[in-house]
Every structure is written in structure tokens, then in C-alpha cells.
Amino acid sequence: MHNLQNIEMNFHNHLKTGVGLYFFKGIEFPKMDEKLFSQEAVMDVPFGACFYFIAVENEKPVLYLRTVSRMDPDFEKVFRDDGERLKPIKTNEYLQKRDEHNVKGVI
């Protein structure tokens, strides 16, 4: 069992900061749980979506997050969160980690 509290808090803060707290009134944020170790999840956000999954690296849970926009097909931001900080990464690294950890498609 892994403690997912830090990456969950960072995920929620990232969404509130990036999109704005105003857009999330009444929206319940997803809970990070063990299912995300084998499945990629998606959360609709205003004008886009966030895809995410969790991998275990060096015995620590790491969240991979990819945001896309319906308003701008060229917009895509990808991050890695090790519970201490959210770091931008390249899209191919997100896809490589998803394949490397045998993560199934969106739930």
C-alpha cells in the first residue's frame, strides 16, 4: 500500500492553478487509488481533459499527467509528479512510461 496523499494534493493544486478555481466549483476531484497503477484515467476539465496514471519508481508512487485542450489541438502539457514536485516532461516520456508499466487505456 502506497501513500498517495502528496501526489493527490499536487494534482488538485495543479488543476486549480492551471485552469482556475472558479471553473471547479461543484466539481469533485478524483481520488488517487491503487487502480491507477494499471489504468490510465481521464478527467474532463473546462475546455479540455487530463489523462493520468501512477507508476512505482524506486519504490515510490509517481503520477504522470497529460493535459490537452479542445480549444487548441496543438496544446499539450505533460508532467511527472514524484510527491515532492511537479516537473514538466516530454509527451514521448509520458507514453514511454505508460507502455513500460503496462498501463491500460482510459477508464
Side-chain angles (χ1 to χ4, degrees):
M1 193 89 167
H2 295 279
N3 183 350
L4 305 176
Q5 187 174 8
N6 286 346
I7 60 176
E8 182 174 314
M9 185 175 63
N10 289 350
F11 176 64
H12 295 177
N13 288 337
H14 172 72
L15 291 177
K16 290 175 191 173
T17 303
V19 178
L21 189 56
Y22 170 80
F23 288 108
F24 287 104
K25 286 185 178 182
I27 294 176
E28 188 172 324
F29 286 100
K31 289 283 195 195
M32 297 290 148
D33 62 26
E34 302 287 327
K35 286 187 262 182
L36 293 172
F37 286 103
S38 60
Q39 286 283 161
E40 181 179 43
V42 64
M43 177 185 179
D44 287 329
V45 296
F47 310 111
C50 292
F51 297 85
Y52 55 97
F53 67 91
I54 299 173
V56 176
E57 297 174 0
N58 298 322
E59 299 181 28
K60 263 179 81 173
V62 176
L63 175 72
Y64 285 90
L65 168 67
R66 181 171 62 111
T67 57
V68 295
S69 171
R70 290 187 277 269
M71 301 296 284
D72 181 358
D74 294 328
F75 173 87
E76 183 172 24
K77 291 188 178 182
V78 187
F79 301 92
R80 179 187 184 274
D81 180 3
D82 62 7
E84 295 175 26
R85 67 186 178 112
L86 195 66
K87 175 183 125 182
I89 61 172
K90 296 185 184 301
T91 302
N92 63 344
E93 186 176 346
Y94 175 93
L95 299 172
Q96 177 186 357
K97 290 295 181 180
R98 189 178 65 183
D99 292 344
E100 190 177 294
H101 291 283
N102 297 315
V103 175
K104 295 179 183 84
V106 176
I107 52 175

